[in-house]
Amino acid sequence: MDAILSSAYLAPVQYYAKLLACSGGTAHIEACDTYMKQTYRNRCLIADANGPLALTIPTEKPTAGNCPMRDIRISDHGNWRHQHWNALEAAYRHTPFFLYYEDDLHPFYEKKVEFLYDYNLQLTELMCSLIGIDTPLVTTTQYVHRPDEMADFRTMISPKQAWSDDKEFCPKPYYQVFKERHGFIANLSIVDLLFNMGPESILVLYESSSRR
């Protein structure tokens, strides 16, 4: 199955369940859509001791309206790289696999990448590699309004769209370090799954998708 998805920063479990379901096909990552705030394009959701926590990458204001995602630049405002890494470390340092994957992820919070799309794509490729998802990721070169031969998940996977509306996604509960305090929190960032479950992450993704 081929699919098309929006660019996303450490996207939720639902997103990676779709990438896994594309095994044998290709995942097209949208670069030409109009950038919108308050989406997973520059925000991910993790869980710390106090519950769900949103981490947002600041972006530079576009010089023109309707700026395509590929042209959005990352801002250095607020020392966000340091803040995001500290938040990830505080939330997950006691999980079973944080130390195992720390060296893979930490460099992304030290280096500077100019464009948000490039940063997201590099992180997505890393997550796929660590989890074992072999679906090729391809950058779109033009906006496709109605993809006839691809499953279109660009608007489905969004903070404004309930994951329960996706009839092909049923998140399988897994161990979370703060589960006894907050209960299981579904569809957090992929790093929540990776740090808690490690090599078993791919099994959770597989069992969370009805398209398999």
Side-chain angles (χ1 to χ4, degrees):
M1 178 189 76
D2 287 358
I4 186 167
L5 302 95
S6 295
S7 173
Y9 169 51
L10 292 177
V13 169
Q14 180 188 14
Y15 189 99
Y16 284 85
K18 302 303 184 189
L19 291 180
L20 179 60
C22 287
S23 182
T26 300
H28 301 259
I29 310 301
E30 182 64 78
C32 304
D33 56 344
T34 300
Y35 176 72
M36 293 183 289
K37 295 182 178 180
Q38 298 181 347
T39 66
Y40 289 128
R41 289 171 178 83
N42 71 324
R43 182 173 69 174
C44 71
L45 194 66
I46 66 171
D48 66 7
N50 297 315
L53 173 67
L55 302 179
T56 303
I57 298 177
T59 58
E60 295 183 4
K61 186 176 180 179
T63 55
N66 298 325
C67 184
M69 174 64 193
R70 64 175 178 242
D71 294 336
I72 295 296
R73 287 179 166 83
I74 294 174
S75 170
D76 290 329
H77 178 75
N79 198 18
W80 69 269
R81 294 176 184 83
H82 179 73
Q83 292 183 4
H84 283 209
W85 182 252
N86 282 353
L88 289 168
E89 188 174 28
Y92 296 113
R93 62 188 167 200
H94 297 304
T95 58
F97 294 97
F98 178 79
L99 292 178
Y100 186 80
Y101 296 114
E102 177 183 12
D103 290 344
D104 294 300
L105 196 59
H106 189 220
F108 284 86
Y109 296 91
E110 295 181 316
K111 66 179 181 179
K112 291 187 177 182
V113 178
E114 183 176 4
F115 292 99
L116 179 61
Y117 183 89
D118 296 336
Y119 186 74
N120 288 349
L121 184 61
Q122 291 172 27
L123 274 171
T124 303
E125 290 172 338
L126 172 66
M127 292 296 110
C128 286
S129 175
L130 296 177
I131 293 168
I133 299 173
D134 59 5
T135 304
L137 307 181
V138 176
T139 296
T140 61
T141 57
Q142 61 182 4
Y143 185 77
V144 180
H145 291 274
R146 295 181 179 178
D148 295 327
E149 299 180 357
M150 294 185 285
D152 190 352
F153 302 122
R154 288 175 294 183
T155 59
M156 177 183 290
I157 303 174
S158 167
K160 301 176 183 179
Q161 184 80 24
W163 60 258
S164 56
D165 292 339
D166 181 357
K167 303 308 178 186
E168 295 180 346
F169 176 67
C170 183
K172 178 180 173 60
Y174 57 87
Y175 169 81
Q176 291 176 330
V177 71
F178 297 114
K179 189 174 181 178
E180 291 187 4
R181 186 178 302 185
H182 304 299
F184 176 70
I185 304 174
N187 207 34
L188 292 171
S189 167
I190 190 62
V191 293
D192 184 87
L193 175 60
L194 186 68
F195 289 147
N196 281 300
M197 297 300 291
E200 294 185 27
S201 296
I202 195 167
L203 300 179
V204 175
L205 293 174
Y206 182 80
E207 295 181 12
S208 297
S209 175
S210 64
R211 187 188 285 264
R212 57 180 189 265

